[in-house]
Amino acid sequence: MIPIALYAAGLFLLLREAVPWLRARSSGVVYTRGQRRTAVHRDVEPDRYAALQSNRTRAMWPGLIMVLVALLWTFYAVIGVTQSAG
């Protein structure tokens, strides 16, 4: 059950930041977080845009680590099952 929870939580945390990051890379407009979202255009404020994109990239790491841990856990479980069955 723990790997399933790790997959769900990891994918949620990863996609929560990855989808806006990808949308901003393609459109050139990133939105700030919070109640009053403001648009930051890549052409108008390149330094602020880069900082916000960097923050989104760093925020993806916990979700990515959770998914990798779940994958390793699944891999070792499969290896364990195949070794005990043989």
Side-chain angles (χ1 to χ4, degrees):
M1 293 302 286
I2 292 175
I4 295 171
L6 279 173
Y7 280 120
L11 284 174
F12 173 76
L13 289 175
L14 182 64
L15 293 177
R16 181 178 172 209
E17 300 298 332
V19 170
W21 182 79
L22 288 171
R23 188 177 303 143
R25 292 219 5 134
S26 66
S27 68
V29 178
V30 65
Y31 292 94
T32 59
R33 296 182 193 151
Q35 190 168 357
R36 288 189 179 185
R37 294 175 20 141
T38 58
V40 177
H41 297 272
R42 182 176 25 209
D43 300 335
V44 178
E45 299 176 273
D47 294 335
R48 188 171 178 210
Y49 175 86
L52 288 171
Q53 285 292 84
S54 175
N55 289 342
R56 291 232 186 245
T57 304
R58 273 188 267 127
M60 285 187 238
W61 279 105
L64 182 62
I65 289 171
M66 288 176 132
V67 169
L68 290 176
V69 167
L71 284 171
L72 284 174
W73 193 321
T74 304
F75 176 73
Y76 284 126
V78 169
I79 295 296
V81 167
T82 58
Q83 293 295 321
S84 67

